[in-house]
């Protein structure tokens, strides 16, 4: 998959760095060992953050800044990493979806990046373009219905939008039948070292909990 970052994004975030983790996997409904790690990171988040200080996490602060620069209110349309950690800090339980989605959520909470997870076999074409949402652009967020993505960073394939930091699209979502994943880490803070560490952490999770094969990491 080719990934292009448009001038619309580069103009507001010249230091953007992304990482694409691709793998062939076996998904499962639930993995208890993975949830031991998830519960541990939840406890760590509760001990370190309040609903106010979450926003000071470098990756989250940078993502919120990009929303504002593109014309979106990050408190109304929270980036996924912030929403996950906020839920935990509020004392709520994380949603348990399936092993692939759950491990992506773990990686997002650990580093603060909003991570897109996709069934790579559902993409239309061989190119993803990261741009900014247009007025009235149709987009169905996972479990959210139609989502207003105007002014929001968005990945598009040959058919349209597939991923934003707030929600990925129903059309390309991961399911239990998924065997080929593409996971995108969005480093709006420009920290290539941390983005790389997050990608390697994801690779480890995929190999340990989703029997991943042929895992590749590409930066862009």
């Amino acid at each position: 998959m080719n990934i292009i970052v448009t001038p619309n994004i580069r103009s507001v975030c010249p230091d953007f760095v992304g990482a694409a983790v691709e793998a062939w996997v076996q998904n499962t409904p639930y993995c208890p060992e993975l949830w031991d790690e998830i519960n541990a990171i939840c406890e760590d988040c509760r001990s370190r953050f309040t609903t106010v200080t979450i926003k000071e996490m470098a990756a989250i602060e940078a993502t919120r800044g990009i929303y504002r620069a593109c014309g979106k209110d990050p408190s109304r349309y929270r980036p996924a990493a912030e929403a996950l950690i906020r839920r935990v800090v509020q004392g709520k339980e994380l949603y348990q979806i399936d092993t692939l989605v759950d491990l992506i959520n773990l990686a997002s909470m650990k580093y603060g990046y909003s991570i897109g997870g996709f069934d790579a076999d559902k993409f239309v074409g061989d190119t993803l373009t990261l741009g900014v949402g247009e007025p009235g652009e149709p987009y169905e967020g996972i479990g959210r219905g139609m989502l207003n993505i105007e002014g929001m960073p968005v990945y598009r394939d040959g058919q349209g939008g597939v991923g934003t930091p707030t929600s990925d699209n129903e059309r390309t979502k991961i399911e239990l039948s998924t065997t080929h994943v593409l996971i995108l880490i969005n480093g709006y803070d420009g920290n290539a070292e941390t983005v790389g560490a997050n990608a390697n952490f994801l690779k480890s999770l995929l190999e340990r909990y989703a029997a991943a094969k042929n895992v590749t990491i590409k930066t862009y």
Side-chain angles (χ1 to χ4, degrees):
M1 182 63 65
N2 304 307
I3 303 175
I4 298 170
V5 182
T6 67
N8 285 345
I9 293 294
R10 291 292 185 195
S11 65
V12 294
C13 189
D15 296 327
F16 172 85
V17 58
V21 182
E22 185 175 9
W24 279 257
V25 295
Q26 295 176 16
N27 201 4
T28 55
Y30 177 78
C31 177
E33 294 82 8
L34 170 61
W35 272 88
D36 287 341
E37 288 200 49
I38 292 172
N39 289 329
I41 200 73
C42 287
E43 286 303 314
D44 180 63
C45 288
R46 291 188 187 105
S47 69
R48 292 171 56 204
F49 299 113
T50 68
T51 55
V52 174
T53 61
I54 293 166
K55 301 172 187 177
E56 298 170 4
M57 196 172 182
I60 290 174
E61 182 179 31
T63 306
R64 290 175 62 88
I66 290 301
Y67 270 48
R68 287 190 291 268
C70 293
K72 207 67 171 176
D73 181 357
S75 293
R76 184 176 179 186
Y77 298 89
R78 295 188 192 280
E82 179 185 351
L84 286 167
I85 298 173
R86 183 180 179 86
R87 181 177 180 84
V88 166
V89 170
Q90 289 175 330
K92 301 174 183 177
E93 296 295 324
L94 286 184
Y95 296 110
Q96 187 270 312
I97 309 297
D98 58 51
T99 295
L100 287 173
V101 174
D102 295 343
L103 68 83
I104 291 171
N105 286 343
L106 168 59
S108 183
M109 292 174 64
K110 184 175 178 66
Y111 288 90
Y113 294 116
S114 291
I115 300 174
F118 310 95
D119 185 320
D121 292 335
K122 296 179 179 178
F123 289 131
V124 175
D126 63 358
T127 301
L128 293 178
T129 303
L130 176 59
V132 180
E134 299 289 342
E137 183 172 357
Y139 189 94
E140 186 179 1
I142 297 174
R144 299 174 68 106
M146 299 307 294
L147 184 65
N148 175 11
I149 64 168
E150 179 182 356
M152 192 181 293
V154 57
Y155 287 94
R156 300 180 180 95
D157 67 1
Q159 183 172 323
V162 297
T164 74
T166 291
S167 175
D168 293 331
N169 197 298
E170 282 279 353
R171 175 168 62 87
T172 50
K173 73 178 181 180
I174 290 170
E175 300 180 283
L176 276 175
S177 58
T178 296
T179 58
H180 180 197
V181 293
L182 182 70
I183 303 170
L184 303 180
I185 303 169
N186 297 284
Y188 291 104
D189 61 352
N191 191 326
E193 182 177 351
T194 309
V195 169
N198 199 348
N200 284 316
F201 181 61
L202 265 169
K203 179 177 184 289
S204 172
L205 293 175
L206 288 166
E207 290 172 340
R208 283 186 284 141
Y209 300 126
K213 304 294 183 184
N214 302 321
V215 184
T216 61
I217 298 173
K218 180 174 71 173
T219 57
Y220 58 94

